[in-house]
PDB file of all heavy atoms in Angstrom:
ATOM      1  N   LYS A  89      89.641  74.392  79.927  1.00 94.00           N
ATOM      2  CA  LYS A  89      89.303  73.606  81.125  1.00 94.00           C
ATOM      3  C   LYS A  89      88.862  74.516  82.266  1.00 94.00           C
ATOM      4  O   LYS A  89      87.940  74.185  83.025  1.00 94.00           O
ATOM      5  CB  LYS A  89      90.499  72.763  81.570  1.00 94.00           C
ATOM      6  CG  LYS A  89      90.164  71.775  82.691  1.00 94.00           C
ATOM      7  CD  LYS A  89      91.358  70.892  83.016  1.00 94.00           C
ATOM      8  CE  LYS A  89      90.975  69.826  84.029  1.00 94.00           C
ATOM      9  NZ  LYS A  89      90.362  70.326  85.257  1.00 94.00           N
ATOM     10  N   PHE A  90      89.513  75.672  82.403  1.00 93.00           N
ATOM     11  CA  PHE A  90      89.101  76.646  83.421  1.00 93.00           C
ATOM     12  C   PHE A  90      87.630  77.015  83.236  1.00 93.00           C
ATOM     13  O   PHE A  90      86.850  77.029  84.191  1.00 93.00           O
ATOM     14  CB  PHE A  90      89.944  77.920  83.327  1.00 93.00           C
ATOM     15  CG  PHE A  90      91.299  77.835  83.987  1.00 93.00           C
ATOM     16  CD1 PHE A  90      92.443  78.178  83.298  1.00 93.00           C
ATOM     17  CD2 PHE A  90      91.413  77.428  85.305  1.00 93.00           C
ATOM     18  CE1 PHE A  90      93.688  78.109  83.900  1.00 93.00           C
ATOM     19  CE2 PHE A  90      92.659  77.355  85.929  1.00 93.00           C
ATOM     20  CZ  PHE A  90      93.793  77.697  85.218  1.00 93.00           C
ATOM     21  N   LEU A  91      87.261  77.312  82.004  1.00 91.00           N
ATOM     22  CA  LEU A  91      85.884  77.724  81.711  1.00 91.00           C
ATOM     23  C   LEU A  91      84.893  76.576  81.890  1.00 91.00           C
ATOM     24  O   LEU A  91      83.794  76.761  82.427  1.00 91.00           O
ATOM     25  CB  LEU A  91      85.793  78.261  80.277  1.00 91.00           C
ATOM     26  CG  LEU A  91      86.403  79.647  80.043  1.00 91.00           C
ATOM     27  CD1 LEU A  91      86.515  79.936  78.558  1.00 91.00           C
ATOM     28  CD2 LEU A  91      85.595  80.724  80.747  1.00 91.00           C
ATOM     29  N   THR A  92      85.293  75.387  81.446  1.00 90.00           N
ATOM     30  CA  THR A  92      84.415  74.211  81.576  1.00 90.00           C
ATOM     31  C   THR A  92      84.154  73.888  83.038  1.00 90.00           C
ATOM     32  O   THR A  92      83.012  73.632  83.444  1.00 90.00           O
ATOM     33  CB  THR A  92      85.053  72.996  80.878  1.00 90.00           C
ATOM     34  OG1 THR A  92      85.335  73.318  79.524  1.00 90.00           O
ATOM     35  CG2 THR A  92      84.102  71.793  80.914  1.00 90.00           C
ATOM     36  N   ASP A  93      85.212  73.924  83.838  1.00 89.00           N
ATOM     37  CA  ASP A  93      85.070  73.650  85.278  1.00 89.00           C
ATOM     38  C   ASP A  93      84.207  74.714  85.955  1.00 89.00           C
ATOM     39  O   ASP A  93      83.414  74.409  86.844  1.00 89.00           O
ATOM     40  CB  ASP A  93      86.444  73.600  85.951  1.00 89.00           C
ATOM     41  CG  ASP A  93      87.255  72.376  85.528  1.00 89.00           C
ATOM     42  OD1 ASP A  93      86.652  71.454  84.940  1.00 89.00           O
ATOM     43  OD2 ASP A  93      88.470  72.367  85.762  1.00 89.00           O
ATOM     44  N   ALA A  94      84.376  75.961  85.532  1.00 86.00           N
ATOM     45  CA  ALA A  94      83.579  77.054  86.105  1.00 86.00           C
ATOM     46  C   ALA A  94      82.105  76.869  85.786  1.00 86.00           C
ATOM     47  O   ALA A  94      81.234  77.086  86.633  1.00 86.00           O
ATOM     48  CB  ALA A  94      84.068  78.396  85.575  1.00 86.00           C
ATOM     49  N   ALA A  95      81.809  76.455  84.544  1.00 83.00           N
ATOM     50  CA  ALA A  95      80.418  76.232  84.135  1.00 83.00           C
ATOM     51  C   ALA A  95      79.802  75.069  84.910  1.00 83.00           C
ATOM     52  O   ALA A  95      78.637  75.116  85.304  1.00 83.00           O
ATOM     53  CB  ALA A  95      80.358  75.954  82.635  1.00 83.00           C
TER      54      ALA A  95
END
Side-chain angles (χ1 to χ4, degrees):
K89 188 176 186 306
F90 279 128
L91 286 168
T92 304
D93 291 346

